[in-house]
Amino acid sequence: MTLDRRRFLALSGSVAMLSLLPRFALAASSTTDTRFLLVLLRGGMDGLHALQPFGDPGFAALRGAFARADGQPAAHRLDADFALHGRLEFMAQLYAGKSLLPVVAIAPPYRQRSHFEAQDCVENGTSGSGGSTGWLNRCVAGVPGSKGLAISSVLPLAMRGKAEVATWSPPMPERLDPILWQQLQLLYAADPALAATFAAIDSDVGDMAAGRGGQAGLRLPQAMASAARFMSAADGPRIGFVEDTGWDTHNNALGVLNRKFGELDAGLKAFRDGALSTWNNTVVAIVTEFGRTAAINGTGGTDHGTGGVAFLAGGAVQGGRIAGDWPGIAKAQLNDGRDLRATTDMRSLFKGVLRDHLGIADAALVDQVFPESRGTAPMTGLLRRATAA
Amino acid sequence: MAQAAASAVNRFGLGGRGDEIAVVGGDPRGWLLAQIAGDARDDSFAGLPDSGAYLDQYHDYLRQRRELRAQREAGKAEEARPAMDRRGLRRGLQRELAIRQGVAATTTRPFAERLVRFWSNHFAISIDKFQASLFAAPMEREAIRPHLIGRFADMLLAVERHPGMLVYLDNAQSIGVDSRLGAQSARRAQRNPEARKRGLNENLAREILELHTLGVDGGYAQGDVAELARAITGWSVARPADRERSRRDDAFVFRAVAHEPGARRVLGKAYPEAGEAQGEAILRDLALHPATARHLSLKLARHFVADQPSPALVERMAKAYLASGGELAALYRAMAEDDAAWSPSAGKFKSPEDFIVSALRACQLGADGDLALSLRLQAQLGQPMFQPRSPAGFGDVAADWGGPDALFKRVQAAQALAERLPASRDATPQALGVAALGPALDDETATALRRAESVQQGVALLLASPSFQWRR
C-alpha cells in the first residue's frame, strides 16, 4: 500500500512541533515582516574577478591580461573605479536600480588560508573554528516567531544550534507505506538521540517536501528558486541559507568563473522572480570564506588569499554604490605581499543587517549572535529604511 | 560479550551479513586483528584497467576531440563522429563504482574494507572534476589498498604521486619559476605580454599539510606551504610521449625541467636539491611528525569509536604509531586492543554510505540492479560515491548527517531497498534483524518486525528503524 506523501501527512493529523524547543528572546520586538537570506559560496570566490577594480593601477599590472583574455565578456562599469564581471548582468541591473551593494576588501576575522576553517568561521560567527553552533541559528532563536530554513539535505554549521530549523532538498519519489510510518513513530519516540529529529519531519519539513525537485545535487539557481518559494510564503521562514560549491579556482579559472558567475547571477534572478511579493523587505547577503591571491598563479588560476568581496542584494538594500574601504593592490599595499588586505570584518556587515533589518538589539548581537565581537561595530546605512526598535 | 561481537561487526565492520556475528563469537578483538594482515587487494577488481590505461584512454579522447574540431573547421562535420565521448569514459567509472559497492556488500574482511574507505576519504578526490574522475577509483586500488597495513609514509607517497591527486589538486601543471620551463615561460612572456607566465600552484602542498599529514593546527606556516609546493614541482602526470618512453608502469612522471632548483626549508629543516627525492624526503618526515600521528589517530578514533573520542585513547594511539616508526598496523592494533574502543559509550550515527552498505549486507543484496539502486540512493542521501564537495572529504560526525529531511529520505530509501528482496525469500524480518544487529536489536523493534504484514514491509521497518541508524 502506498500513499502520496502530502496526502499522507495531512491524514496523519500530526501536531506541528514548532514549539518543541524553547526560544530565548533577544530582540526588541520586531513587527516588520523582513526576510534575510545568506548565500555562502564555498571555495573562496575570486573577488577581484567578480568586482574588478579597474581604476586601481595595480589591477592592470596584476590582472589586466587575465581580465581581458579571449572569451571574457565585457565587464559592466559601475563607477569610475569598479566594474562587475560580464556574466553578472542581473546584478548590474540591480546596481543600477540601487538594490545591490558590493562591499569591498571584506573577510571574516579568521585570517589564515584553510578553506575549511574559514568556512567554519563564517558560519559559527567566531574568529576561530571552535564553535559548533551557527550564528544564523542564534538569529532564528533571537527573532520571536521567526523560522529558519537551509536549502540543503543536511544541516550546515551556520544553522546548527538550539533553535529549530528546517532543511529542505528535492524529495525522493513521494510514496510511503503509512503503516510503516506509524510503527516508526513509536520506535523513534523511544530513541533519545533521534526522537526530536524524527518528530520534526512532520512539521515544517513535511510540508516542504511537497515541493518539486529532481536531482540529488542542487545547482544554485534551483536552490535559490526553492528558497524563494518557501521564504515568500506569508508564514514562511524569515531566515534562510543557501550554499554553493565549486569556487576554488586554482587552475584555468577563466572558464570556470564564467560559468559560476553565470550561475550566481541566474540564482539571484531566480530568487527575485520567485520572491517578488517580499522582495522589498528582503536582504540577500552573498559571501565567501576568503579572497584569492592578487596575482595569477602559474596555472592560470589563483591561490588562497584574504580580502574578498561581499554583495547585499534586495529591495531593502541601500545600493547603487560601493561600500567598504579599498586598500589598493599595489605590491606594497598587499597583505603578505600577495593578496588584498581586508579592511572590513565580515561580522560588521552581518551585524548591520541583523540590527537594522531584523531588529536584533545591539546587546543581543554581542552577547549571543556574535560573541567576541564587541570591538566590531555594525556597519550603518546598509538599508533603505532602518527597522530597528 | 555478545554485544562486543555485534560492535566488531557493526561499528568496526560494515554491518552484519548472514552469520557474521556468530562467526566473530567470543573473540571480537581477534577477529579484527586477523584482518590487520596482508593487504586489501581484492580479486573482484582483477581485470580493471590501471590508471595508466585510463590515462591512455583519456589521451585518446583528447586526441579525437582535437581531430574532430579540425574536421568541423574544415567543413567535414558529417564524417566526424567521435568513437569515444565523455559518456563512454564515465561508463568505465560506473562499472568501477558498482564493483566497489559489491565488494563492500559481500566482503568477509569488513574491518579491512572499512579502513580502505576511511583512507579514501582522508585522501579525498572528487569525480566532480572531470579530469580527475577517471582516477578516483584506481587511486584507491593502486595507492591505498596495497599500503593499508604498511607504513603510512608509503601510502602517502603513493597517493601524492597518483594522477588522481596530482590532477585533482592541480600539481600536474605546477612548475618552478626558476626551473628551465619556468625561465622559458618568463622569456616568452617578456616577448609577448599576452602570453601567460606559467609557474607555481600551491594547492596540493597546502592540502598535504592541512588535511593529509599535520592537520590544520599542526604548526606550519604559509612559508612552509610555498616551500613544499616548490619541492614537489615536477611531480606530474605522463603525456603520451612519456608513456611510450617511460620504464615505469604507472602514470606518474617526474619532470626535471619543471622542478624548482635549490634547497628548500620546511618546518625549519633544510632539504638539499635532489630532484624528485627532495619532495619525497619532506613527505617521509611529515609522515613521522608527532602532529601527523595525533591528526591520524584522532580521525581514526572519531571514525570508529565516537564523535568525540577520549583524548587519552587518541594519545595512546599516536604513541603506538610513533613508536612503531609509522606503521599503520600498529595504529590500528592500538585502537582495537584499547578498552576505551569497546566501552558502552562508544557508538556512531551511520553516514549515508554506512546506512546503504549495511542495508545491502543485512538483506544480502548484491545483484547488479541492487548495486545500481544503492548508488543512486546513496547520492540522494547526500554522499555520492567519490564525490565529496571538498578535499576535506565527507563529514564523519552525527551532525553532518542528522536532520529531519535526511532521516525522512532514509525511510524512503529503506522502502526502496526492501522492495528488492525476492518475494520467495524465507528469512523473516526478525531473523534478518537479529543477524544484522545482534543484541543491539531492541525488544520493541523485534516485536514490530514480528508483526509485519509482509517480508518487504518488515525489512523496510528494520532498515528504517532507529536501531539500524547506529553503529554500536
Side-chain angles (χ1 to χ4, degrees), chain A residues 5 113-114 116-117 154 160 167 169-170 172-173 175 177 179 188 191 243 250-251 298-300 338, chain B residues 170 173 196 198-203 206 210 216 222 389-390 399-400 405 408-409 412 415 457 464 470:
Chain A
R5 177 158 181 240
R113 294 192 172 89
S114 156
F116 320 112
E117 285 198 323
V154 289
R160 288 185 197 166
T167 55
S169 62
M172 292 157 78
R175 48 197 191 76
D177 177 345
I179 294 172
Y188 274 92
D191 185 315
E243 62 190 356
H250 286 274
N251 194 11
T299 54
R338 60 184 265 142
Chain B
D170 305 308
Q173 308 296 323
R196 184 157 65 76
R198 299 176 56 201
L200 197 67
N201 186 308
E202 62 187 40
N203 200 14
R206 178 182 308 283
E210 177 180 340
V216 70
Q222 170 58 31
R389 69 183 181 189
S390 84
D400 295 314
D405 184 65
F408 183 75
K409 285 193 165 72
Q412 291 179 297
Q415 202 176 247
Q457 192 192 65
W470 297 97

Side-chain angles (χ1 to χ4, degrees), chain B residues 101 110 197 230 303 424 462 470:
Chain B
Q101 191 81 331
K197 210 166 103 193
R230 290 182 191 108
H303 182 74
S424 65
L462 168 66
W470 297 97

Side-chain angles (χ1 to χ4, degrees), chain B residues 14 26 103 170 201 230 233 253 300 352-353 356 391 413 433 435:
Chain B
L14 296 167
V103 167
D170 305 308
N201 186 308
R230 290 182 191 108
T233 44
V253 68
L300 260 177
E353 180 179 273
I356 292 288

Side-chain angles (χ1 to χ4, degrees), chain A residues 1-2 5 9 42 65 68-69 110 113-117 119 123 129 152-156 160 165 167-181 183-184 187-188 190-191 193-194 196-198 200-201 205 209 214-217 243 245-246 248-252 293 296-301 303-304 336 338, chain B residues 128-129 131 167 169-170 173-175 193-194 196-203 206-207 210-211 216-217 220 222 226 349 376-377 379-382 389-392 397 399-413 415-416 419 442 444-445 448 451-453 457 460-467 469-470 472:
Chain A
M1 183 177 171
T2 57
R5 177 158 181 240
L9 289 167
R42 297 185 190 274
R68 285 192 315 273
Y110 171 83
R113 294 192 172 89
S114 156
H115 287 300
F116 320 112
E117 285 198 323
Q119 286 173 24
E123 295 190 66
S129 57
S152 169
S153 61
V154 289
L155 201 60
R160 288 185 197 166
V165 163
T167 55
W168 184 89
S169 62
M172 292 157 78
E174 294 179 28
R175 48 197 191 76
L176 196 69
D177 177 345
I179 294 172
L180 169 66
W181 188 249
Q183 286 170 322
L184 287 173
L187 295 177
Y188 274 92
D191 185 315
L194 296 177
T197 307
F198 191 82
I201 294 174
V205 178
Q215 319 103 321
E243 62 190 356
T245 58
D248 191 19
T249 47
H250 286 274
N251 194 11
N252 296 329
T293 49
I296 305 305
N297 71 10
T299 54
D303 293 306
H304 303 179
D336 292 346
R338 60 184 265 142
Chain B
D128 256 354
K129 187 164 181 167
Q131 295 87 333
V167 170
L169 291 180
D170 305 308
Q173 308 296 323
S174 178
I175 65 179
E194 298 292 305
R196 184 157 65 76
K197 210 166 103 193
R198 299 176 56 201
L200 197 67
N201 186 308
E202 62 187 40
N203 200 14
R206 178 182 308 283
E207 305 307 14
E210 177 180 340
L211 300 175
V216 70
D217 300 320
Y220 61 90
Q222 170 58 31
F349 184 70
R376 263 202 313 283
L377 293 173
Q380 282 169 316
L381 294 176
R389 69 183 181 189
S390 84
V397 296
D400 295 314
W401 304 116
D405 184 65
L407 197 53
F408 183 75
K409 285 193 165 72
R410 285 195 191 195
V411 179
Q412 291 179 297
Q415 202 176 247
E419 283 168 16
D442 58 285
E444 290 72 24
T445 306
R451 290 183 186 152
E453 284 182 347
Q457 192 192 65
L461 183 63
L462 168 66
L463 304 183
S465 70
S467 301
Q469 310 315 313
W470 297 97
R472 284 192 170 120

Side-chain angles (χ1 to χ4, degrees), chain A residues 355-370:
Chain A
R355 185 183 66 180
D356 296 343
H357 187 60
L358 294 181
I360 297 184
D362 278 319
L365 283 178
V366 173
D367 291 340
Q368 260 101 18
V369 183
F370 292 106

Side-chain angles (χ1 to χ4, degrees), chain B residues 47-85:
Chain B
L48 284 174
D50 64 12
S51 54
Y54 277 124
L55 189 64
D56 294 342
Q57 278 184 31
Y58 180 63
H59 287 143
D60 278 349
Y61 158 76
L62 291 180
R63 184 176 48 73
Q64 288 189 20
R65 218 176 50 160
R66 269 197 310 275
E67 289 170 6
L68 200 66
R69 197 175 302 138
Q71 285 176 354
R72 277 214 197 91
E73 278 162 12
K76 290 194 265 181
E78 291 301 309
E79 299 159 37
R81 270 216 314 274
M84 186 182 296
D85 57 9

Side-chain angles (χ1 to χ4, degrees), chain A residues 250-377:
Chain A
H250 286 274
N251 194 11
N252 296 329
L254 286 177
V256 176
L257 287 175
N258 265 344
R259 176 169 59 77
K260 295 302 293 181
F261 285 144
E263 284 178 17
L264 174 60
D265 202 57
L268 192 55
K269 183 163 189 310
F271 184 83
R272 198 280 311 260
D273 293 350
L276 273 179
S277 60
T278 48
W279 178 250
N280 282 337
N281 291 329
T282 293
V283 172
V284 179
I286 301 168
V287 302
T288 187
E289 70 262 28
F290 46 51
R292 308 194 73 85
T293 49
I296 305 305
N297 71 10
T299 54
T302 51
D303 293 306
H304 303 179
T306 307
V309 66
F311 296 101
L312 294 187
V317 172
Q318 179 86 45
R321 63 203 170 88
I322 307 286
D325 299 318
W326 181 251
I329 51 171
K331 189 80 183 165
Q333 294 167 320
L334 292 175
N335 176 50
D336 292 346
R338 60 184 265 142
D339 47 52
L340 181 66
R341 199 154 53 77
T343 53
T344 297
D345 184 321
M346 199 177 281
R347 293 173 302 177
S348 299
L349 176 68
F350 293 147
K351 286 170 80 170
V353 172
L354 299 183
R355 185 183 66 180
D356 296 343
H357 187 60
L358 294 181
I360 297 184
D362 278 319
L365 283 178
V366 173
D367 291 340
Q368 260 101 18
V369 183
F370 292 106
E372 62 181 69
S373 75
R374 201 164 292 277
T376 311

Side-chain angles (χ1 to χ4, degrees), chain B residues 48 98 109-110 117 120 140 165 189 209 219 251 289 320 328 358 462 465:
Chain B
L48 284 174
R109 299 178 65 215
R117 287 158 176 257
S120 251
E140 181 181 279
M165 189 59 81
L209 293 169
H289 196 283
L328 288 171
S358 61
L462 168 66
S465 70

